[in-house]
Structure formats: C-alpha cells, structure tokens
Amino acid sequence: MIEEFARFFGSPSNRELVVGSLLEHLYLSLVPLLLGLLLALPLGRLAQQVTRVRALVLGASNVVYTVPSLALFVLIPGIIGTPLLSSINVVIALTLYTAALLVRPVLDALVAVPQHVIAAATAMGYRQGRRFLAVELPLAVPVLVAGVRVASVSNISLVSVGALVGIGGLGRLFTDGFQRDYLFQIGVGIAFTLLLALLIDLLLVAVWRRLTPWARAGQVSAA
Amino acid sequence: MIGEIVAWLTDPENWSGSGGVPMQMLLHLYYCVVSVAVAAVIAVPLGLYIGHTGRGAVFVVGVGNAIRALPTLGVVTLLVLFLGVGEVPALAGLVVLAIPAILSGTYAGIRNVPAEAVDAARGMGMTGRQRLLGVEIPNALPLVFGGVRSAMLQVVATATVAAYVGLGGLGRTLLDGLKVSDYAQMAAAAILVATLAVVLDAVLAGLSRAFVPRGVVLAAQTTAAGPTER
C-alpha cells in the first residue's frame, strides 16, 4: 500500500494530474455553490412574500433536483448553445442544483424569523431592503448554513460525473483509472474527493461561527 | 436542434429491438427498483433498530454523511475493477449509494416520533414490540418514504452514470450517442432519463400518500398549522 502510494505520487505526471484535477474540482464545485446561493436568496425571498410564486418556485426546484446530473450536463448545451465539452455546462448545472436545494431552507429560515424582531426593526426605522440584509438574513444564517453544507457536499460529489462529458475535476482520475485498469488511481480520486468535502465543510462551519457571534454569546449566558 | 431531437424520438427505428427506447427504459427501471429494494431490505431494519434503541446513532449520522460525499462515478468504477465487469458489481454500487438515504430517513423517522405518543403507548401497556409496530413505524413512515424517494433519485442518476462501466439502460443510449457525437441521441436519452426520474418520484410520492396512515397526516397538519406557525 505504502509502496504503491510512493510509486503513484513519485511520478511527476501523476502529481500534476492530481493537483490540476483538484484545483479544477474546487473551482467547479465552489463557483456554483456561490452562484446558487445568490440565486436562491432572491427566489426564497420572493417565495416568502408572494404565495403564488411559492408553489411555483418550490415545484420547479423539486423538478430540477430530480433530473439526473448527466442528463442535465447534456441538455444544457442544447438549451443555451454552449459547446458540449465546455466547463460552463457543469457550472450552470450545479448552480441550478444548488439553487434548487437552497430555496427551501432560505424560505423556511426567513419564515422562522420572529415577527416581533421584524416589528422592532421596522420601528427603529429600518427600510425593507436594509431590514432584510441587516436583520432577517443574519437570523436566517443557521438554517441557511445547514443547507449550504449539504449543497457543498453534493456539488463536490457530483462534479466527477462531468468527467463523462470531458470536464470533471477529480472525476478524470476515475475515467482515466478505469481505462488503464488502475485501481489505486481511482482510490486516490475518491480519497481526495472526500478530503475536499471535509475541508470545505470545516471551512463552512468556521464561517458560520464568524457570522453568528450571538449564538455563542447565548450559550455562555445560558451556562 | 430541437427538430433533430424530436426526429430521433419519433423515429420508429429507435423504439424497436433490444437497444430501443422501451427495452432500455425497462432495463433502467429494473436496475433502479431492484437496487432500491435491496437497499431498503438492508437499511430499513437497521434504521428501525438504531432509531428504536438509540444504539449506533453516531455511526449512522457520520457514515451516512461520508457516503453522501462519495463520488458515484468513483464508486462504480472502483467496484467494477475490483469485482470484475458485469451487472452485479455495478448494481452493488447502486445499492451502496442507496443505503444512506434510506437508513437516515428511517432513523430520523423513528427518532422524530413524538415522545408523548410513545409514552402514551407505554402507559397503555404496550410492549416494546407493539410500540414499534403500532406507534413508531406508522409515525415514521413519511420520513422513511422521504428516504426511499431520495435514494431512488440517486439511483436513477447513478444507473445512468454506470453505463460507463457497461451497465445497460438509458445511460447506455446516452453514452453511445456521445461516442459517435450524435447530439440528438444524447439529448433524447437525457430527456427520457429526466422524465423517468420525475415520474418515479411522483409515483413514490403517491405511494407515500397512500400508505401513510390518515391519523399521522392529520396530526402533522394540525402541528404545522398550530399557533407557533411552523
């Protein structure tokens, strides 16, 4: 095992493959995470305020989430006219998945903000837009972060499927390893995917702590 | 573009023979139903046991999350290289990937049964087994079905990917189209897979509605519409 490890990482071309795929994987999973979140926030807000939009948005996100990733990777170029082997397809597909996954938590989190807090903010002179950014959104963060964590894990695992249409970050290690009958390389790909998911998850938890200082303050006063 | 896809979908030649749409769709469906069924046979009893006794909960949550992060293509290629090319290794991969959703759904379902209901059952003199069968399982059914639904979505998607290692089904049609750069065939197969996924999900949602006892649905509605508003 250790021997195999040394042999695999001893080869400069393998190291290059792993580092290159890893960076591509990071880009292909995190950019959609951010874009999807930015898309889900206004959609969730709209769904919260307009009942008719709510059913539509939730229904649409359900359907989007149901479509298998490979099918989406293939259909997007046909719909928007990008080349089949372009990384934009993967980015758009995962952005859609992220948004579909996050609309519900955004909506739930916004609905859960206590009415008296909103009333207090209004009484203090917050206009609607600022109240949303400064009061409602921060209070929604805990629920939101839970959703973002699920979306990040799911994105990181889905990127690899893109390897079947030529863009897949660490997924390249799987297709290449399968063609060459090289089990160890597939193992390396899986290990790095899990590691990446874990690291991003820890990072998200750290960000969450920074964003919700009151949660810790509450724990201290309760103790 | 759309014209070519419609032309592919309406060409009778693509609807006949062993590689035709109906056969591949049935094959896809067969893979999905078999692997979700096998996964359920493993995961539901395990989830019931862990939820009922509380033993091994940390294991379920931890391993469940780790498996969710597993790249499906990696698992499938690894298993096929390890166990040899064929249907069974690829299906084993599908089962592995379907287990965590059902397991955590069942576990969460049992855990979320209202404590008052279980206490009341105990107060009425029901044994542990009677409580499990008569109170905990019926109350857990919505979440169990939720787990089965997400497992099914995962499996429909993974079965498509598994065509790369030789599995049949609509993924086969898609990847064959890719090999000869026939975009119409790829897109048609993608549309069919997406339709299959949406229909299967709707069928499971319907089954869930049919099987969840009326009392549980009513109880959920009254708590949802309660004064706490959520």
Side-chain angles (χ1 to χ4, degrees), chain A residues 35-59 61 98-113 128 132 136-137 140 144:
Chain A
L35 293 179
L37 179 62
L38 289 179
L39 198 62
L41 284 175
L43 280 177
R45 176 63 165 178
L46 205 64
Q48 180 206 0
Q49 292 184 326
V50 190
T51 323
R52 227 178 270 172
V53 175
R54 184 179 303 187
L56 191 74
V57 166
L58 290 181
S61 66
T98 308
L101 199 73
L102 288 181
V103 163
R104 176 112 239 172
V106 169
L107 174 65
D108 287 347
L110 289 179
V111 169
V113 175
Q128 217 197 9
F132 176 67
E136 294 178 62
L137 203 53
L144 218 55

Short mmCIF file of all heavy atoms in Angstrom, two decimals, chain A residues 35-59 61 98-113 128 132 136-137 140 144:
data_model
loop_
_atom_site.label_atom_id
_atom_site.label_comp_id
_atom_site.label_asym_id
_atom_site.label_seq_id
_atom_site.Cartn_x
_atom_site.Cartn_y
_atom_site.Cartn_z
N LEU A 35 -22.86 30.96 -6.72
CA LEU A 35 -23.88 31.45 -7.66
C LEU A 35 -25.26 30.93 -7.26
O LEU A 35 -26.25 31.67 -7.30
CB LEU A 35 -23.55 31.00 -9.09
CG LEU A 35 -22.29 31.62 -9.71
CD1 LEU A 35 -22.07 31.07 -11.12
CD2 LEU A 35 -22.41 33.14 -9.76
N GLY A 36 -25.32 29.65 -6.87
CA GLY A 36 -26.60 29.06 -6.49
C GLY A 36 -27.19 29.75 -5.27
O GLY A 36 -28.39 29.99 -5.20
N LEU A 37 -26.31 30.08 -4.31
CA LEU A 37 -26.77 30.78 -3.11
C LEU A 37 -27.31 32.15 -3.48
O LEU A 37 -28.38 32.57 -3.01
CB LEU A 37 -25.62 30.90 -2.11
CG LEU A 37 -25.93 31.62 -0.80
CD1 LEU A 37 -27.00 30.89 -0.03
CD2 LEU A 37 -24.67 31.75 0.05
N LEU A 38 -26.57 32.85 -4.36
CA LEU A 38 -27.00 34.18 -4.78
C LEU A 38 -28.33 34.13 -5.54
O LEU A 38 -29.10 35.08 -5.52
CB LEU A 38 -25.93 34.83 -5.67
CG LEU A 38 -24.66 35.23 -4.92
CD1 LEU A 38 -23.64 35.83 -5.89
CD2 LEU A 38 -24.98 36.22 -3.81
N LEU A 39 -28.58 33.00 -6.21
CA LEU A 39 -29.83 32.84 -6.94
C LEU A 39 -30.97 32.47 -5.98
O LEU A 39 -32.11 32.92 -6.13
CB LEU A 39 -29.64 31.72 -7.98
CG LEU A 39 -30.62 31.62 -9.12
CD1 LEU A 39 -30.56 32.87 -9.97
CD2 LEU A 39 -30.29 30.40 -9.97
N ALA A 40 -30.63 31.64 -4.97
CA ALA A 40 -31.66 31.13 -4.06
C ALA A 40 -32.19 32.22 -3.13
O ALA A 40 -33.35 32.19 -2.75
CB ALA A 40 -31.12 29.95 -3.25
N LEU A 41 -31.33 33.18 -2.76
CA LEU A 41 -31.77 34.22 -1.82
C LEU A 41 -32.94 35.04 -2.35
O LEU A 41 -33.98 35.10 -1.69
CB LEU A 41 -30.58 35.12 -1.45
CG LEU A 41 -29.58 34.51 -0.45
CD1 LEU A 41 -28.39 35.44 -0.25
CD2 LEU A 41 -30.25 34.22 0.88
N PRO A 42 -32.81 35.66 -3.53
CA PRO A 42 -33.97 36.42 -4.02
C PRO A 42 -35.18 35.53 -4.31
O PRO A 42 -36.31 35.93 -4.05
CB PRO A 42 -33.46 37.08 -5.30
CG PRO A 42 -32.20 36.39 -5.65
CD PRO A 42 -31.64 35.82 -4.41
N LEU A 43 -34.92 34.31 -4.82
CA LEU A 43 -36.05 33.40 -5.10
C LEU A 43 -36.77 33.04 -3.81
O LEU A 43 -38.00 33.03 -3.75
CB LEU A 43 -35.54 32.12 -5.78
CG LEU A 43 -35.27 32.22 -7.28
CD1 LEU A 43 -34.70 30.90 -7.80
CD2 LEU A 43 -36.55 32.56 -8.03
N GLY A 44 -36.00 32.73 -2.77
CA GLY A 44 -36.61 32.38 -1.48
C GLY A 44 -37.38 33.55 -0.91
O GLY A 44 -38.47 33.40 -0.35
N ARG A 45 -36.79 34.76 -1.05
CA ARG A 45 -37.44 35.97 -0.54
C ARG A 45 -38.77 36.19 -1.26
O ARG A 45 -39.80 36.48 -0.65
CB ARG A 45 -36.50 37.15 -0.76
CG ARG A 45 -37.07 38.49 -0.38
CD ARG A 45 -37.37 38.55 1.09
NE ARG A 45 -37.58 39.91 1.55
CZ ARG A 45 -37.89 40.20 2.80
NH1 ARG A 45 -38.03 39.23 3.69
NH2 ARG A 45 -38.06 41.44 3.17
N LEU A 46 -38.71 36.02 -2.58
CA LEU A 46 -39.91 36.20 -3.39
C LEU A 46 -40.97 35.17 -3.00
O LEU A 46 -42.16 35.50 -2.85
CB LEU A 46 -39.54 36.04 -4.87
CG LEU A 46 -40.42 36.73 -5.89
CD1 LEU A 46 -40.34 38.23 -5.71
CD2 LEU A 46 -40.00 36.34 -7.30
N ALA A 47 -40.52 33.93 -2.80
CA ALA A 47 -41.45 32.86 -2.43
C ALA A 47 -42.07 33.13 -1.07
O ALA A 47 -43.22 32.78 -0.82
CB ALA A 47 -40.74 31.51 -2.42
N GLN A 48 -41.30 33.79 -0.20
CA GLN A 48 -41.82 34.11 1.13
C GLN A 48 -42.94 35.14 1.04
O GLN A 48 -43.93 35.07 1.75
CB GLN A 48 -40.69 34.64 2.01
CG GLN A 48 -41.14 35.00 3.42
CD GLN A 48 -40.26 36.06 4.05
OE1 GLN A 48 -39.29 36.54 3.45
NE2 GLN A 48 -40.58 36.42 5.27
N GLN A 49 -42.76 36.11 0.12
CA GLN A 49 -43.69 37.23 0.09
C GLN A 49 -44.90 37.01 -0.81
O GLN A 49 -45.96 37.55 -0.53
CB GLN A 49 -42.94 38.49 -0.32
CG GLN A 49 -41.96 38.90 0.76
CD GLN A 49 -41.26 40.19 0.43
OE1 GLN A 49 -40.98 40.46 -0.74
NE2 GLN A 49 -40.95 40.97 1.45
N VAL A 50 -44.71 36.24 -1.89
CA VAL A 50 -45.83 36.05 -2.82
C VAL A 50 -46.23 34.57 -2.79
O VAL A 50 -45.46 33.72 -3.23
CB VAL A 50 -45.43 36.46 -4.25
CG1 VAL A 50 -46.66 36.48 -5.15
CG2 VAL A 50 -44.73 37.80 -4.24
N THR A 51 -47.41 34.29 -2.29
CA THR A 51 -47.84 32.90 -2.12
C THR A 51 -47.88 32.16 -3.45
O THR A 51 -47.53 30.99 -3.51
CB THR A 51 -49.25 32.85 -1.49
OG1 THR A 51 -49.33 33.91 -0.54
CG2 THR A 51 -49.48 31.53 -0.81
N ARG A 52 -48.29 32.87 -4.50
CA ARG A 52 -48.44 32.19 -5.77
C ARG A 52 -47.07 31.78 -6.32
O ARG A 52 -46.92 30.74 -6.93
CB ARG A 52 -49.15 33.11 -6.76
CG ARG A 52 -50.26 32.38 -7.49
CD ARG A 52 -50.98 33.29 -8.44
NE ARG A 52 -52.12 33.97 -7.83
CZ ARG A 52 -52.80 34.94 -8.43
NH1 ARG A 52 -52.44 35.36 -9.63
NH2 ARG A 52 -53.83 35.50 -7.86
N VAL A 53 -46.07 32.64 -6.08
CA VAL A 53 -44.72 32.32 -6.52
C VAL A 53 -44.16 31.13 -5.73
O VAL A 53 -43.41 30.32 -6.26
CB VAL A 53 -43.79 33.55 -6.36
CG1 VAL A 53 -42.36 33.21 -6.70
CG2 VAL A 53 -44.29 34.70 -7.20
N ARG A 54 -44.58 31.03 -4.48
CA ARG A 54 -44.03 29.99 -3.61
C ARG A 54 -44.22 28.60 -4.21
O ARG A 54 -43.26 27.84 -4.35
CB ARG A 54 -44.71 30.06 -2.24
CG ARG A 54 -44.13 29.08 -1.25
CD ARG A 54 -44.79 29.19 0.10
NE ARG A 54 -44.69 30.55 0.64
CZ ARG A 54 -45.07 30.89 1.87
NH1 ARG A 54 -45.58 29.97 2.67
NH2 ARG A 54 -44.96 32.13 2.29
N ALA A 55 -45.47 28.28 -4.58
CA ALA A 55 -45.75 26.96 -5.14
C ALA A 55 -44.93 26.72 -6.41
O ALA A 55 -44.37 25.65 -6.62
CB ALA A 55 -47.24 26.83 -5.42
N LEU A 56 -44.83 27.77 -7.22
CA LEU A 56 -44.13 27.67 -8.49
C LEU A 56 -42.64 27.40 -8.25
O LEU A 56 -42.05 26.48 -8.83
CB LEU A 56 -44.30 28.98 -9.27
CG LEU A 56 -43.85 28.95 -10.72
CD1 LEU A 56 -44.85 28.17 -11.56
CD2 LEU A 56 -43.70 30.36 -11.26
N VAL A 57 -42.03 28.20 -7.38
CA VAL A 57 -40.60 28.08 -7.12
C VAL A 57 -40.28 26.72 -6.49
O VAL A 57 -39.34 26.04 -6.91
CB VAL A 57 -40.12 29.23 -6.20
CG1 VAL A 57 -38.75 28.93 -5.64
CG2 VAL A 57 -40.11 30.53 -6.98
N LEU A 58 -41.09 26.33 -5.51
CA LEU A 58 -40.82 25.06 -4.84
C LEU A 58 -41.02 23.89 -5.81
O LEU A 58 -40.24 22.94 -5.83
CB LEU A 58 -41.71 24.90 -3.61
CG LEU A 58 -41.36 25.82 -2.44
CD1 LEU A 58 -42.29 25.56 -1.27
CD2 LEU A 58 -39.92 25.67 -2.01
N GLY A 59 -42.06 23.98 -6.63
CA GLY A 59 -42.30 22.92 -7.61
C GLY A 59 -41.17 22.82 -8.61
O GLY A 59 -40.66 21.74 -8.89
N SER A 61 -38.07 23.85 -8.28
CA SER A 61 -36.81 23.39 -7.68
C SER A 61 -36.85 21.89 -7.46
O SER A 61 -35.85 21.20 -7.60
CB SER A 61 -36.52 24.15 -6.39
OG SER A 61 -37.46 23.84 -5.42
N THR A 98 -27.75 23.68 -6.80
CA THR A 98 -27.55 24.39 -5.53
C THR A 98 -28.75 25.27 -5.23
O THR A 98 -29.28 25.27 -4.11
CB THR A 98 -26.28 25.25 -5.59
OG1 THR A 98 -25.20 24.42 -6.02
CG2 THR A 98 -25.95 25.84 -4.25
N ALA A 99 -29.18 26.04 -6.23
CA ALA A 99 -30.32 26.94 -6.02
C ALA A 99 -31.56 26.13 -5.66
O ALA A 99 -32.29 26.47 -4.73
CB ALA A 99 -30.57 27.77 -7.27
N ALA A 100 -31.78 25.00 -6.37
CA ALA A 100 -32.95 24.17 -6.10
C ALA A 100 -32.92 23.63 -4.68
O ALA A 100 -33.93 23.54 -4.00
CB ALA A 100 -33.02 23.02 -7.10
N LEU A 101 -31.71 23.28 -4.23
CA LEU A 101 -31.56 22.72 -2.89
C LEU A 101 -31.74 23.79 -1.82
O LEU A 101 -32.22 23.50 -0.72
CB LEU A 101 -30.17 22.10 -2.77
CG LEU A 101 -29.94 21.09 -1.68
CD1 LEU A 101 -30.64 19.80 -2.03
CD2 LEU A 101 -28.46 20.86 -1.50
N LEU A 102 -31.35 25.04 -2.13
CA LEU A 102 -31.31 26.08 -1.11
C LEU A 102 -32.59 26.91 -0.99
O LEU A 102 -32.81 27.54 0.04
CB LEU A 102 -30.12 27.01 -1.35
CG LEU A 102 -28.75 26.41 -1.04
CD1 LEU A 102 -27.66 27.42 -1.29
CD2 LEU A 102 -28.69 25.93 0.40
N VAL A 103 -33.42 26.90 -2.04
CA VAL A 103 -34.62 27.73 -1.98
C VAL A 103 -35.47 27.40 -0.76
O VAL A 103 -35.92 28.27 -0.03
CB VAL A 103 -35.45 27.57 -3.28
CG1 VAL A 103 -36.85 28.08 -3.07
CG2 VAL A 103 -34.80 28.34 -4.40
N ARG A 104 -35.64 26.11 -0.53
CA ARG A 104 -36.46 25.67 0.61
C ARG A 104 -35.89 26.15 1.96
O ARG A 104 -36.62 26.78 2.72
CB ARG A 104 -36.55 24.15 0.55
CG ARG A 104 -37.27 23.52 1.68
CD ARG A 104 -38.57 22.90 1.24
NE ARG A 104 -39.65 23.53 1.98
CZ ARG A 104 -40.93 23.31 1.72
NH1 ARG A 104 -41.28 22.54 0.75
NH2 ARG A 104 -41.85 23.90 2.44
N PRO A 105 -34.59 25.88 2.25
CA PRO A 105 -34.03 26.39 3.50
C PRO A 105 -34.12 27.91 3.62
O PRO A 105 -34.43 28.42 4.70
CB PRO A 105 -32.56 25.96 3.47
CG PRO A 105 -32.51 24.84 2.53
CD PRO A 105 -33.65 24.98 1.59
N VAL A 106 -33.88 28.64 2.51
CA VAL A 106 -33.97 30.10 2.57
C VAL A 106 -35.38 30.51 2.99
O VAL A 106 -35.58 31.29 3.91
CB VAL A 106 -33.63 30.73 1.19
CG1 VAL A 106 -33.98 32.21 1.18
CG2 VAL A 106 -32.16 30.54 0.87
N LEU A 107 -36.37 29.89 2.32
CA LEU A 107 -37.76 30.20 2.63
C LEU A 107 -38.07 29.87 4.09
O LEU A 107 -38.59 30.70 4.84
CB LEU A 107 -38.67 29.39 1.69
CG LEU A 107 -40.16 29.48 1.95
CD1 LEU A 107 -40.65 30.89 1.71
CD2 LEU A 107 -40.91 28.50 1.06
N ASP A 108 -37.72 28.64 4.52
CA ASP A 108 -38.00 28.22 5.90
C ASP A 108 -37.34 29.16 6.89
O ASP A 108 -37.93 29.55 7.89
CB ASP A 108 -37.49 26.79 6.13
CG ASP A 108 -38.37 25.77 5.43
OD1 ASP A 108 -39.46 26.14 5.00
OD2 ASP A 108 -37.95 24.60 5.32
N ALA A 109 -36.07 29.52 6.61
CA ALA A 109 -35.32 30.36 7.54
C ALA A 109 -35.96 31.74 7.64
O ALA A 109 -36.10 32.29 8.73
CB ALA A 109 -33.87 30.48 7.08
N LEU A 110 -36.39 32.29 6.50
CA LEU A 110 -36.99 33.63 6.53
C LEU A 110 -38.33 33.60 7.24
O LEU A 110 -38.67 34.51 8.01
CB LEU A 110 -37.16 34.16 5.10
CG LEU A 110 -35.86 34.54 4.39
CD1 LEU A 110 -36.15 35.01 2.98
CD2 LEU A 110 -35.11 35.61 5.16
N VAL A 111 -39.11 32.52 7.01
CA VAL A 111 -40.41 32.42 7.67
C VAL A 111 -40.24 32.29 9.18
O VAL A 111 -41.06 32.77 9.96
CB VAL A 111 -41.20 31.21 7.10
CG1 VAL A 111 -42.43 30.93 7.93
CG2 VAL A 111 -41.59 31.47 5.66
N ALA A 112 -39.10 31.67 9.58
CA ALA A 112 -38.90 31.41 11.00
C ALA A 112 -38.44 32.65 11.78
O ALA A 112 -38.38 32.62 13.00
CB ALA A 112 -37.88 30.29 11.18
N VAL A 113 -38.09 33.74 11.08
CA VAL A 113 -37.66 34.95 11.82
C VAL A 113 -38.87 35.47 12.60
O VAL A 113 -39.94 35.71 12.03
CB VAL A 113 -37.16 36.03 10.84
CG1 VAL A 113 -36.85 37.31 11.59
CG2 VAL A 113 -35.92 35.53 10.11
N GLN A 128 -37.31 48.32 4.20
CA GLN A 128 -37.44 46.89 3.88
C GLN A 128 -36.12 46.24 3.44
O GLN A 128 -35.74 45.20 3.95
CB GLN A 128 -38.51 46.72 2.80
CG GLN A 128 -39.31 45.48 3.04
CD GLN A 128 -40.07 45.07 1.80
OE1 GLN A 128 -39.90 45.61 0.71
NE2 GLN A 128 -40.92 44.09 1.97
N PHE A 132 -33.97 43.50 5.55
CA PHE A 132 -33.71 42.15 5.04
C PHE A 132 -32.24 41.80 5.22
O PHE A 132 -31.90 40.74 5.76
CB PHE A 132 -34.11 42.07 3.57
CG PHE A 132 -33.79 40.75 2.93
CD1 PHE A 132 -34.45 39.61 3.33
CD2 PHE A 132 -32.82 40.65 1.94
CE1 PHE A 132 -34.16 38.38 2.75
CE2 PHE A 132 -32.53 39.43 1.36
CZ PHE A 132 -33.19 38.30 1.77
N GLU A 136 -33.08 40.19 8.95
CA GLU A 136 -33.67 38.89 8.63
C GLU A 136 -32.63 37.89 8.15
O GLU A 136 -32.60 36.73 8.58
CB GLU A 136 -34.77 39.06 7.58
CG GLU A 136 -35.95 39.86 8.10
CD GLU A 136 -37.01 40.08 7.05
OE1 GLU A 136 -37.57 39.08 6.57
OE2 GLU A 136 -37.28 41.24 6.70
N LEU A 137 -31.74 38.35 7.25
CA LEU A 137 -30.74 37.44 6.68
C LEU A 137 -29.80 36.88 7.75
O LEU A 137 -29.59 35.66 7.81
CB LEU A 137 -29.98 38.16 5.56
CG LEU A 137 -29.32 37.27 4.52
CD1 LEU A 137 -30.33 36.31 3.92
CD2 LEU A 137 -28.72 38.13 3.42
N ALA A 140 -31.33 34.25 9.65
CA ALA A 140 -31.59 33.05 8.86
C ALA A 140 -30.34 32.21 8.68
O ALA A 140 -30.41 31.07 8.21
CB ALA A 140 -32.17 33.43 7.50
N LEU A 144 -29.63 28.42 6.97
CA LEU A 144 -29.02 28.55 5.65
C LEU A 144 -27.73 27.75 5.56
O LEU A 144 -27.47 27.05 4.58
CB LEU A 144 -28.72 30.02 5.41
CG LEU A 144 -28.93 30.55 4.02
CD1 LEU A 144 -30.34 30.24 3.58
CD2 LEU A 144 -28.66 32.04 4.00
#
